[in-house]
Amino acid sequence: MAGLTGLEDATENLNIGPLVSLNDFKECFAHDGKYGDNAQNKWKSKTILIYKLGDNPFRKLENVPNMFGQVVSPGKHAEIVLIEKIQTEIENRRMRSQHPIHVKVEIYISYSPCHDCSNTIVNFIEKCNREWCIFDIKMNFSNFYKHYECLRNSAGQHVPVHNEGLRKLLLKRVMLQPVTGKEKWENFLSANGVPVQKQADRLAIASSQERITREVDDNNLFLKIYNSVFH
């Protein structure tokens, strides 16, 4: 479903229903457990990612519905799978046009990228820049990935390694956004193909007291990371 470029293809998939099941929404996206306690809170090892691959600005496809594709990655990291799909899309576009390519991607992902995936995305952005390709990416994540995990740097300091990866993404102007609060969850559910009139059960899951409390912490942590880059 990713990278639909024809109205016929889009129309065939209009009634696919939610990409993320209610169970996966609860256990992966709207998880309300505390960080650092995998046994008690049953954090899932898989990452679920849905994405929208935008259209080249030199083509007019305003009437094509915005379709989301899904990547479920139990082994290979979902971000790596997506980058491979985007690379294929870029190569296909190069075969059709000599113009500079502009690729826009919006992502909803159950975990923020790990340090290695952040590095892969950064390297891909730099590669695109060298090859006359503008790559804009917005990444919405609902849980931080092991933000407490530290490694010793060359100066002997213990640095939160995965948070450092997020800093690198911000430095490359990747738009990062934790999914917190009712409005952002509504946006996610709409992207996920859940009609407004059927969102109540999922919104109730995402607004548990435990989840609300942790989202406050998530917002504060993200603000700290963001300010370390731009202030």
Side-chain angles (χ1 to χ4, degrees):
M1 287 176 50
L4 294 177
T5 55
L7 185 57
E8 297 82 8
D9 292 335
T11 304
E12 289 176 0
N13 290 280
L14 285 177
N15 298 314
I16 58 174
L19 290 164
V20 178
S21 69
L22 180 60
N23 188 59
D24 277 343
F25 175 79
K26 180 178 181 179
E27 294 188 353
C28 297
F29 276 95
H31 198 291
D32 61 6
K34 296 180 180 179
Y35 294 119
D37 191 348
N38 186 63
Q40 180 178 345
N41 295 311
K42 299 180 180 178
W43 287 94
K44 296 298 181 181
S45 59
K46 71 178 178 180
T47 298
I48 299 179
L49 178 156
I50 65 173
Y51 64 97
K52 179 178 66 176
L53 187 58
D55 298 302
N56 190 311
F58 293 103
R59 301 178 66 187
K60 291 186 178 181
L61 295 171
E62 293 91 350
N63 294 327
V64 177
N66 290 327
M67 302 298 293
F68 279 74
Q70 181 186 31
V71 175
V72 181
S73 176
K76 197 172 188 179
H77 286 198
E79 299 93 324
I80 305 303
V81 176
L82 179 61
I83 290 297
E84 292 172 352
K85 288 179 176 288
I86 294 171
Q87 180 62 54
T88 299
E89 174 69 13
I90 290 174
E91 291 171 357
N92 290 338
R93 292 187 186 186
R94 287 194 189 283
M95 294 175 63
R96 300 194 300 264
S97 174
Q98 298 300 314
H99 295 290
I101 296 172
H102 189 178
V103 177
K104 293 183 179 181
V105 180
E106 183 173 7
I107 296 169
Y108 282 92
I109 189 169
S110 52
Y111 287 115
S112 61
C114 70
H115 183 264
D116 289 345
C117 286
S118 293
N119 281 339
T120 297
I121 295 170
V122 166
N123 292 337
F124 183 72
I125 292 172
E126 292 175 346
K127 178 177 182 290
C128 287
N129 291 340
R130 292 193 301 269
E131 297 179 356
W132 284 47
C133 175
I134 301 171
F135 180 49
D136 290 333
I137 178 171
K138 180 178 181 181
M139 182 175 292
N140 308 278
F141 60 92
S142 60
N143 304 287
F144 278 96
Y145 177 75
K146 295 185 178 180
H147 69 85
Y148 49 84
E149 190 170 85
C150 294
L151 290 178
R152 189 187 299 272
N153 64 14
S154 58
Q157 302 168 318
H158 284 86
V159 178
V161 61
H162 303 299
N163 293 0
E164 185 62 23
L166 299 183
R167 290 184 73 257
K168 292 179 181 179
L169 292 176
L170 289 169
L171 284 167
K172 288 298 179 182
R173 303 298 176 179
V174 173
M175 296 179 62
L176 293 177
Q177 178 63 63
V179 181
T180 57
K182 185 173 183 286
E183 182 178 354
K184 293 185 180 68
W185 280 114
E186 288 174 340
N187 291 339
F188 165 74
L189 292 174
S190 295
N192 185 38
V194 181
V196 174
Q197 64 272 23
K198 295 184 178 181
Q199 293 182 2
D201 55 347
R202 288 170 171 80
L203 289 174
I205 292 171
S207 60
S208 70
Q209 187 56 54
E210 292 83 359
R211 177 76 200 185
I212 291 174
T213 299
R214 216 205 64 218
E215 286 187 2
V216 172
D217 295 336
D218 284 358
N219 282 331
N220 289 335
L221 175 58
F222 179 71
L223 186 61
K224 180 179 179 181
I225 296 171
Y226 184 91
N227 287 340
S228 73
V229 174
F230 296 112
H231 289 81

